[in-house]
Amino acid sequence: MAPNLTKTTHVTLDKTNIMVNNHVIFSDVPSNLDVDTSILDSNGLFVGFHVSKPESRHVVPLGQLKGIPFMSIFRFKVWWTTHWVGSNGRDLEHETQIMILNKLGFADQGRPYVVIVPVIEGSFRASLQPGRVEDYIDVCVESGSTKVVGDMFQAVLYIKAGFDPFKLVKDAMGVIQAHLGTFNLLKDKHVPNIIDKFGWCTWDAFYLNVDPKGVWEGVKGLVENGSPPGFVLIDDGWQSICHDDDPVSDPQGMNRTTAGEQMPCRLIKYEANHKFRDYVSPKDIGLGQFDRPNKGMGAFVRDLKDEFKSVENVYVWHALMGYWGGVRPNVPGLPESRVVNPRLSPGLEMTMDDLAVDKIVNNGVGLVHPKKAHELYEGLHSYLEDCGIDGVKIDVIHLLETIAEDYGGRVDLAKTYYKAVTESVRKHFKGNGVIASMEQCNDFMLLGTETICLGRVGDDFWPSDPNGDINGTYWLQGCHMVHCAYNSLWMGNFIHPDWDMFQSTHPCAEFHAASRAISGGPIYVSDAVGKHNFSLLKKLVLPDGSIIRCEYYALPTRDCLFVDPLHDGKTMLKIWNLNKFNGVLGVFNCQGGGWNREFRRNQCYSKYSKQITCKAGPKDVEWKNGHKPFPTEGVELFAMYFCKGNKLVFSTMSETVDISLKPFNYELIVVSPVTNLPWDSIQFAPIGLVNMLNCGGAVKSFDIIRDNEGQSVRVGVKGAGEMRVFASKRPKACRVNGEDMELEYEESMIKVQVPWNDNSAVEYLF
C-alpha cells in the first residue's frame, strides 16, 4: 500500500473509547464524558463532562491508558514543574499540565503522537492526575473557591494528534489560543532585548544583603576583567518590608537576612529601603541638571549606567503580591489589603515540601483587594520607572490559587491580577520588560501571558542542596537542566525560555555554561563579588556585553522525549537548537538525581551516576521546527565539530556517532551543512569562533563570490578569537575586514584569528 502523503489524523470518541486513526488511546471511557462539536477541529477534540451535583472541585475519569509510553510535565512544587514518563495511567503524576503519547510504527502507517492539554473553562481550571481506579487517568477541575461551583463542562481538555511532536504541541497551543483568547503566543510578541545581553544577578552574590556599594563593585569587577554585563538584576533585598510585629518606622525591620526569614515580611512602601534610599551620588549634578536626582535609587541607577556603558538595562525583583507576604494592611500610601490564609488544594498537597510555601501558609498573605490591584502595580512600577529601572522580575507568581476563596475563585482572581500587571507593564516597561518566575502552571500560561514573553523554565539554580545532601552540589545541576529542557517544550509557546542564572566558580559551572550558551535565552550569573571564572565567562560574553545567542530556544531531541535522563542509568540528555547557518546539539550526562514518587521529593540516585553512551547525528537537529524551516534539502554531508573534544567528523543526515560522557560532563556539537562550491569540487562549511561555547552562532552571513577578481567565500562573524571553517582544499589567502591575515590549515580546517568587531568579514580566496 502506498503511504498517505497528507498524513491526516482524526481524534474521535467512539462509544467507550477515545480513538486516534482507529487506534485506542483511552479505553473504558465513562458515559458522562462529552465532546464539544461546536469547536471545529478535524485533527483534535475538546472534551468535557457532566455530573449530577454542582461542586467546586471535580475529579472525573477520562479512561484507561495501558501500554502507551508517554511524557508529561507535572508540578513537583507549587511553582515549579518538571518532566515525567510512564506507560500506564497509574504512572501519571498529580498536577500534570500536559501529556504527550508516543507514536507507534513508522511514518503515517501507525499511531501518531497525541497531546492532551488541560485548559480553562469559565471559572474552572483543569489538570491531569492518576486515577483512583488502576490505570485510569482522571481530569481534575477546580475553581479554588467553595462558593464557585459547576456541574457541566464543555471543553476542559484538548486532545490533538500529529506525526511531528514539536509541530503538534505548537499547533495545539495555537488552537487553544484561538479558543480561549486569553493569552498571546510567543511568536506574536516581542521579547525584551536583555535576551541578547550578558547579565549579572545579585541574589547568590548577596542574598538579602544587597546594597549600592556591592552592586557597584560587582559590575566594576566584571567590566574591568573583560566580561561586562549588558543588564543587571537587583534581586530581593532592595524593598521596604517588615514583619507584622515590627514598627513600620523601624528600618531594622528591613534587615531580615536569614534564609526564609524574609518570607513572612510584607511590603510597607513602594520606595526602596534605606540602603538604596540613602545613596548619595558622588557626581556633581551641574548646571541645568536639577531634574536629575542626586540621591536615592534613581541616582544610583543613573550613576551605574553612566559609569558602565555596557549596562543598558537594570531590572529589579518583586513578588506578584508586592512581597513574599504581600502588602501590610493599614499602611498609609498603600492600597487596601487584608491578610488571607492560603489553602493548598489536594493536588498541591502532593507536591514537594517547600520552605517558602510553609512560611507563607503559616503567616498568610497580605492580599490587595482585586479592585485595587492596579493601584499596587501603578504605585510600584511608576516609582521604578522614575528611578530609571527598565523592567522587573516578577516572582512568587503562582500563589493566587491558594487565596481565592472569597474572590471569585482562582481563575477570576488571576484574570484581575494579570490584567493589572499587563496594563502596568505596558505603561511603564514597554509591554515586555518582565522576567516571570515561580509561574509554572497552566493558570499563568493561559491567563497571564498576553504581553509577558520571557520567563523561567526551571526551578532555582541551587549551588548546593538546602537539605544538606553533599552530593546535591552535583545531582541538583542535572535536575535543573532537565527541568529547563523539557518545560520549554510546553512553556516556549507562551514565553521565551530563561534557564536562570548560575555561578561561574561552581564545580558544575562549565556544565551549566554549555547549556546556557545554546539555550537561546538570556545568560546571566550570580557570582559573588570578586569570585569569577573569567576564562569561562569569556566563552559566553563578548567585549560589548552581548552574547552569541541561538536563533530559537533549546528543546530535547526527539529520541529523548519519552525516556528518563535523570535516573534510569542509561539515557543522555540531548538538546538541539538552530543558529543562522548551522544547527547545534548539546549532550549532557545528567544522571544521578530526580523525583521520588514515594517520598514526594527530588533526591540523589547515586547508583545511576556513571559514564553512559549515546548516539548523535544531524537528524537530531529539528531543522524544520525553528521559527522558520532551515533548508537542508539536497545536503548530502554535514560537518560536525565537537567543541569540547576539538575534533571534526563528517556525517550524512542518517548517520550517527557514539558519545560517551562521565557524570555531569557535556559535549557541544556544531552541525554545519557542507556546501559544494561551484569550482574545483571544493567542499566548504563554516564552523565558527571555537573559543566561544556557541561557536556556530558567531557565523552571521555566508556568501559565495565569483567575479572578475576571483573566487572566494565571505563569512560574516560576530565576536573575536579563532575562526574555523571546513574546506576540502587550502585557500590561497585569507582576509579579515579587508586585511591579509595569516592562516593555518590543519585536518581540513582553516584557522584564522579575528580581532574584536561587532561584525567582521572573513574572506577565503581560492
Side-chain angles (χ1 to χ4, degrees):
M1 180 185 293
N4 178 3
L5 298 179
T6 58
K7 290 189 175 183
T8 57
T9 60
H10 299 284
V11 183
T12 57
L13 175 58
D14 181 14
K15 297 181 180 178
T16 60
N17 295 319
I18 294 180
M19 312 279 291
V20 175
N21 288 14
N22 298 318
H23 295 270
V24 175
I25 302 302
F26 297 111
S27 60
D28 200 19
V29 174
S31 59
N32 67 329
L33 246 63
D34 303 311
V35 174
D36 189 350
T37 56
S38 67
I39 305 171
L40 297 177
D41 177 19
S42 60
N43 297 322
L45 202 66
F46 278 95
V47 177
F49 64 88
H50 60 274
V51 291
S52 58
K53 182 181 179 182
E55 300 280 1
S56 62
R57 184 175 187 268
H58 299 280
V59 178
V60 175
L62 175 62
Q64 285 186 312
L65 178 73
K66 292 186 175 182
I68 301 179
F70 70 80
M71 69 150 287
S72 62
I73 302 295
F74 80 99
R75 293 167 81 183
F76 70 94
K77 286 190 177 182
V78 170
W79 9 70
W80 303 127
T81 59
T82 193
H83 173 247
W84 191 250
V85 296
S87 298
N88 300 289
R90 63 181 178 271
D91 301 327
L92 197 67
E93 273 293 353
H94 290 261
E95 278 291 327
T96 291
Q97 311 292 293
I98 185 172
M99 183 180 188
I100 306 173
L101 309 184
N102 201 0
K103 68 173 185 176
L104 177 67
F106 299 96
D108 60 341
Q109 298 302 302
R111 183 187 68 228
Y113 297 99
V114 181
V115 64
I116 302 104
V117 188
V119 294
I120 284 169
E121 180 175 342
S123 296
F124 287 77
R125 164 266 188 188
S127 63
L128 297 172
Q129 62 186 48
R132 290 169 288 189
V133 178
E134 187 170 344
D135 286 332
Y136 271 85
I137 288 179
D138 288 351
V139 56
C140 175
V141 177
E142 52 196 339
S143 71
S145 171
T146 58
K147 302 172 183 178
V148 179
V149 299
D151 58 5
M152 183 172 292
F153 303 90
Q154 290 183 300
V156 295
L157 286 179
Y158 180 60
I159 304 175
K160 188 175 179 66
F163 292 96
D164 180 332
F166 301 98
K167 186 176 185 298
L168 172 62
V169 174
K170 192 177 295 185
D171 289 349
M173 297 309 164
V175 173
I176 293 168
Q177 192 277 333
H179 169 59
L180 292 177
T182 53
F183 63 94
N184 285 318
L185 295 166
L186 175 63
K187 68 181 182 66
D188 298 321
K189 295 181 284 193
H190 180 66
V191 182
N193 66 352
I194 63 169
I195 65 167
D196 291 307
K197 305 293 182 182
F198 170 62
W200 178 58
C201 175
T202 64
W203 180 240
D204 289 311
F206 304 104
Y207 297 112
L208 297 161
N209 292 312
V210 62
D211 61 19
K213 181 181 178 182
V215 177
W216 189 278
E217 291 299 319
V219 174
K220 182 173 180 284
L222 289 166
V223 170
E224 290 180 345
N225 287 278
S227 299
F231 77 94
V232 173
L233 171 55
I234 302 174
D235 213 295
D236 193 2
W238 69 270
Q239 288 178 286
S240 297
I241 60 171
C242 68
H243 280 188
D244 288 344
D245 56 358
D246 295 327
V248 172
S249 60
D250 181 5
Q252 298 309 309
M254 305 164 197
N255 291 334
R256 305 289 178 171
T257 58
T258 303
E261 191 181 12
Q262 88 281 17
M263 290 171 181
C265 288
R266 310 194 202 281
L267 190 71
I268 57 173
K269 63 173 64 176
Y270 297 128
E271 293 78 13
N273 60 35
H274 64 95
K275 294 181 294 183
F276 288 86
R277 195 168 60 244
D278 293 345
Y279 171 84
V280 178
S281 174
K283 297 184 178 182
D284 184 5
I285 294 180
L287 295 175
Q289 301 295 316
F290 292 106
D291 59 329
R292 302 178 68 188
N294 201 38
K295 184 179 179 181
M297 175 72 93
F300 173 67
V301 172
R302 180 202 69 211
D303 288 351
L304 193 70
K305 291 180 179 179
D306 285 350
E307 181 69 19
F308 305 109
K309 301 302 182 184
S310 67
V311 178
E312 293 185 6
N313 299 101
V314 177
Y315 278 42
V316 299
W317 177 100
H318 74 76
L320 181 70
M321 300 287 94
Y323 198 67
W324 289 94
V327 173
R328 183 161 169 168
N330 305 313
V331 175
L334 293 181
E336 168 196 348
S337 69
R338 77 177 180 94
V339 176
V340 179
N341 294 318
R343 185 183 63 185
L344 300 185
S345 68
L348 291 185
E349 292 283 3
M350 299 296 292
T351 60
M352 181 175 169
D353 285 343
D354 187 320
L355 173 66
V357 174
D358 293 343
K359 292 283 186 179
I360 293 170
V361 168
N362 290 337
N363 197 61
V365 178
L367 176 68
V368 171
H369 194 282
K371 293 181 179 180
K372 300 285 187 177
H374 65 283
E375 293 183 17
L376 171 64
Y377 300 120
E378 173 61 27
L380 187 56
H381 293 168
S382 62
Y383 163 72
L384 292 173
E385 183 186 26
D386 288 344
C387 290
I389 297 297
D390 304 285
V392 286
K393 174 184 174 182
I394 303 180
D395 215 349
V396 205
I397 286 179
H398 238 279
L399 194 59
L400 292 172
E401 66 184 280
T402 68
I403 52 177
E405 172 65 23
D406 296 324
Y407 299 96
R410 62 191 294 168
V411 172
D412 286 2
L413 182 60
K415 283 182 176 179
T416 301
Y417 260 81
Y418 294 151
K419 180 182 178 182
V421 169
T422 297
E423 290 175 350
S424 184
V425 169
R426 280 184 170 143
K427 181 177 180 181
H428 300 291
F429 303 127
K430 300 180 180 178
N432 63 0
V434 174
I435 303 172
S437 182
M438 300 173 77
E439 86 292 13
Q440 295 169 11
C441 183
N442 55 2
D443 300 61
F444 174 77
M445 299 300 159
L446 299 174
L447 298 173
T449 57
E450 182 180 341
T451 186
I452 293 174
C453 51
L454 178 63
R456 290 269 304 281
V457 290
D459 64 338
D460 291 333
F461 161 71
W462 289 98
S464 59
D465 184 5
N467 297 313
D469 181 357
I470 58 173
N471 294 316
T473 302
Y474 295 93
W475 66 260
L476 276 166
Q477 317 316 316
C479 289
H480 181 94
M481 206 163 293
V482 167
H483 299 334
C484 292
Y486 289 89
N487 282 338
S488 295
L489 181 62
W490 168 51
M491 297 179 199
N493 294 278
F494 307 92
I495 52 176
H496 195 93
D498 170 1
W499 285 45
D500 197 22
M501 55 203 168
F502 68 101
Q503 290 180 309
S504 70
T505 56
H506 189 272
C508 293
E510 193 172 347
F511 191 64
H512 277 287
S515 72
R516 304 308 193 275
I518 67 168
S519 72
I523 299 175
Y524 52 119
V525 295
S526 55
D527 292 351
V529 176
K531 296 182 180 180
H532 310 284
N533 181 345
F534 284 110
S535 62
L536 178 60
L537 292 180
K538 288 177 181 179
K539 295 180 181 180
L540 296 168
V541 190
L542 298 177
D544 63 351
S546 66
I547 60 174
I548 296 176
R549 189 172 65 85
C550 291
E551 298 281 301
Y552 197 54
Y553 52 87
L555 292 171
T557 58
R558 198 173 294 213
D559 61 342
C560 283
L561 292 178
F562 301 96
V563 288
D564 177 8
L566 281 177
H567 46 19
D568 70 359
K570 61 184 179 181
T571 299
M572 201 91 76
L573 173 65
K574 295 190 296 181
I575 59 177
W576 63 272
N577 208 333
L578 295 169
N579 290 311
K580 194 169 184 179
F581 290 95
N582 51 66
V584 60
L585 288 173
V587 186
F588 301 87
N589 184 348
C590 299
Q591 292 283 338
W595 182 248
N596 183 305
R597 297 194 80 184
E598 180 182 358
F599 296 108
R600 313 306 299 170
R601 61 183 174 89
N602 287 320
Q603 68 172 50
C604 178
Y605 286 90
S606 58
K607 66 180 180 180
Y608 298 124
S609 188
K610 59 186 179 180
Q611 181 167 315
I612 55 176
T613 301
C614 73
K615 295 183 181 297
K619 197 173 182 180
D620 286 326
V621 179
E622 294 288 333
W623 301 97
K624 296 181 180 180
N625 280 315
H627 290 304
K628 58 182 179 180
F630 188 109
T632 57
E633 291 77 8
V635 176
E636 298 177 352
L637 192 67
F638 293 84
M640 296 175 61
Y641 178 74
F642 288 64
C643 300
K644 194 174 183 183
N646 189 26
K647 65 179 181 179
L648 184 67
V649 299
F650 300 96
S651 174
T652 64
M653 179 67 87
S654 59
E655 291 176 328
T656 59
V657 295
D658 288 340
I659 300 174
S660 293
L661 294 175
K662 293 180 179 180
F664 312 109
N665 272 263
Y666 75 94
E667 182 60 86
L668 298 180
I669 308 168
V670 179
V671 186
S672 185
V674 173
T675 298
N676 296 309
L677 300 182
W679 60 79
D680 300 337
S681 300
I682 297 174
Q683 293 179 310
F684 190 97
I687 295 170
L689 291 173
V690 297
N691 52 293
M692 306 299 290
L693 284 170
N694 182 23
C695 59
V699 178
K700 296 302 180 185
S701 63
F702 176 33
D703 298 296
I704 299 170
I705 301 169
R706 198 171 192 180
D707 54 27
N708 295 333
E709 296 183 6
Q711 304 167 147
S712 66
V713 177
R714 183 179 296 144
V715 179
V717 179
K718 178 180 179 178
E722 183 179 307
M723 175 67 187
R724 292 190 189 184
V725 300
F726 157 67
S728 59
K729 181 180 179 180
R730 181 187 178 101
K732 297 176 182 177
C734 180
R735 295 174 184 157
V736 177
N737 297 326
E739 296 185 9
D740 290 338
M741 192 71 65
E742 290 186 11
L743 64 87
E744 295 181 43
Y745 186 70
E746 184 180 3
E747 298 179 344
S748 299
M749 287 186 285
I750 306 169
K751 307 175 185 179
V752 64
Q753 293 298 317
V754 177
W756 163 244
N757 195 311
D758 183 55
N759 189 9
S760 293
V762 183
E763 192 168 7
Y764 305 90
L765 289 76
F766 291 92

